[in-house]
């Protein structure tokens, strides 16, 4: 028996919320990666790790917010917690590999292709591992052509995002790049969902194994959402992250301020004959140059 799939059970609420979380994670990740290019080498891994975790958490949160609006009308849905958490780890690790490649090797063609491919495969793996953690009384099947298309979209989105992370430095430009990346990742999710079909096994009146969708999703989503909020606070309190190519990027703004002591006066002051504008002493009987000079002082 073919199951009836509805990916928009709550209308536009879940797609919009999913896109917003993907956009937030992408924006924070891109800005942290940009910050790593302008910091000391000892701090570089920390900024790259923060950026990778932000992007991975944002994409994972996007996926499961979108899944809140997914249902198979003839069967209840649940999720296996360990498999779901594995999908989060895969997303962060694979995005981290790509971010560290471009963070240390730059935006060369070879670095972008390798990093974008690995990151895109990681995003796709996160999606399908998360789907494998879904429990219902039925068999899920996928259209191979649409699956390949979703993977291609993920690789293209990841490559474009990594290029923007090391090439786009202005705040507004990075924000625009994150919106494009979030749209591509969200599109990849719904492309992958379009590849799925469910064949029910006819077990009526039996609940799915594991916890219910709502009881599992909301607690798991809480952690990544809190992390993204804290990462946003870090970005807000770092002027270089917000301003980008502005006053903080100018060389003179980075020079230390010199507090030189005031110059000490010299006595007696020296006079330059070329610049001394005092009137010359009057010549007359009984007047000597030496006495005139003494009166002048």
């Amino acid at each position: 028996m073919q199951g009836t799939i509805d990916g928009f059970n709550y209308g536009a609420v879940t797609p919009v919320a999913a896109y917003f979380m993907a956009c937030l994670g992408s924006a924070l990740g891109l800005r942290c990666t940009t910050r790593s290019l302008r910091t000391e080498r000892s701090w570089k891994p920390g900024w790259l790790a923060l950026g990778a975790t932000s992007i991975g958490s944002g994409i994972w949160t996007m996926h499961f917010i979108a899944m809140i609006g997914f249902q198979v009308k003839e069967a209840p849905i649940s999720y296996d917690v360990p498999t779901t958490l594995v999908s989060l780890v895969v997303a962060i690790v694979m995005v981290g590999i790509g971010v560290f490649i471009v963070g240390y090797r730059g935006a060369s063609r070879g670095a972008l292709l390798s990093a974008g491919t690995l990151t895109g495969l990681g995003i796709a793996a996160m999606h399908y591992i998360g789907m494998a953690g879904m429990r219902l009384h039925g068999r899920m099947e996928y259209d191979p052509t649409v699956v390949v298309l979703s993977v291609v979209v993920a690789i293209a989105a990841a490559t474009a995002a990594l290029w923007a992370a090391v090439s786009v430095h202005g705040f507004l430009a990075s924000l625009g790049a994150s919106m494009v990346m979030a749209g591509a990742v969200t599109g990849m999710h719904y492309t992958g969902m379009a590849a799925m079909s469910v064949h029910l096994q006819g077990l009526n009146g039996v609940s799915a194994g594991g916890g219910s969708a709502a009881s599992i999703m909301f607690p798991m989503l809480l952690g990544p959402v809190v992390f993204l909020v804290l990462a946003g606070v870090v970005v807000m309190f770092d002027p270089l992250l917000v301003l980008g190519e502005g006053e903080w990027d100018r060389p003179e703004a980075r020079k230390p301020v010199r507090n030189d002591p005031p110059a000490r006066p010299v006595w007696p002051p020296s006079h330059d004959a070329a610049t001394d504008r005092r009137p010359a002493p009057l010549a007359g009987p009984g007047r000597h140059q030496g006495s005139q000079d003494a009166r002048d002082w």
Side-chain angles (χ1 to χ4, degrees), residues 75-292:
I77 295 176
S78 179
Y79 290 90
D80 179 64
V81 175
T83 305
T84 304
L85 294 178
V86 167
S87 67
L88 173 61
V89 174
V90 169
I92 294 175
V93 170
M94 296 301 290
V95 171
I97 293 174
V99 167
F100 270 79
I101 289 176
V102 298
Y104 281 97
R105 295 182 57 188
S108 63
R109 179 176 298 180
L112 279 176
L113 288 177
S114 58
T117 301
L118 289 173
T119 304
L121 291 176
I123 294 173
M126 178 277 301
H127 173 86
Y128 290 106
I129 291 174
M131 295 304 298
M134 189 166 63
R135 298 289 181 261
L136 73 161
H137 292 290
R139 185 179 71 256
M140 292 180 289
E141 297 181 353
Y142 294 92
D143 182 349
T145 303
V146 183
V147 169
V148 171
L149 178 60
S150 68
V151 174
V152 171
V153 171
I155 293 175
T159 304
L162 294 175
W163 172 85
V166 295
S167 302
V168 178
H169 304 314
F171 177 73
L172 293 179
S174 294
L175 183 61
S178 67
M179 294 174 68
V180 173
M181 177 186 178
V185 172
T186 306
M188 174 267 162
H189 169 82
Y190 285 103
T191 302
M193 296 305 296
M196 188 182 74
S197 60
V198 176
H199 296 273
L200 300 176
Q201 297 177 347
L203 298 177
N204 296 326
V206 181
S207 62
S212 65
S215 64
I216 289 181
M217 279 188 179
F218 287 111
M220 286 194 302
L221 288 172
L222 183 61
V225 169
V226 170
F227 171 81
L228 290 173
V229 171
L230 295 177
V233 172
V234 173
V235 171
M236 290 174 59
F237 282 94
D238 191 325
L240 181 58
L241 279 174
V242 176
L243 295 179
E245 294 284 358
E247 295 294 331
W248 292 86
D249 289 331
R250 294 180 181 176
E252 57 268 22
R254 294 192 295 266
K255 291 181 180 179
V257 178
R258 296 180 58 184
N259 296 319
D260 296 330
R264 298 179 60 185
V266 178
W267 187 264
S270 59
H271 293 281
D272 189 354
T275 60
D276 194 348
R277 301 180 180 272
R278 293 181 303 166
L282 298 176
R287 296 197 177 194
H288 301 283
Q289 184 69 29
S291 62
Q292 177 66 33

Side-chain angles (χ1 to χ4, degrees), residues 25-35 55 161-162 164-165 174 177-178 181:
S26 300
L28 294 175
L30 294 182
R31 297 308 294 160
C32 290
T33 305
T34 299
R35 182 65 173 86
I55 296 175
L162 294 175
S174 294
S178 67
M181 177 186 178

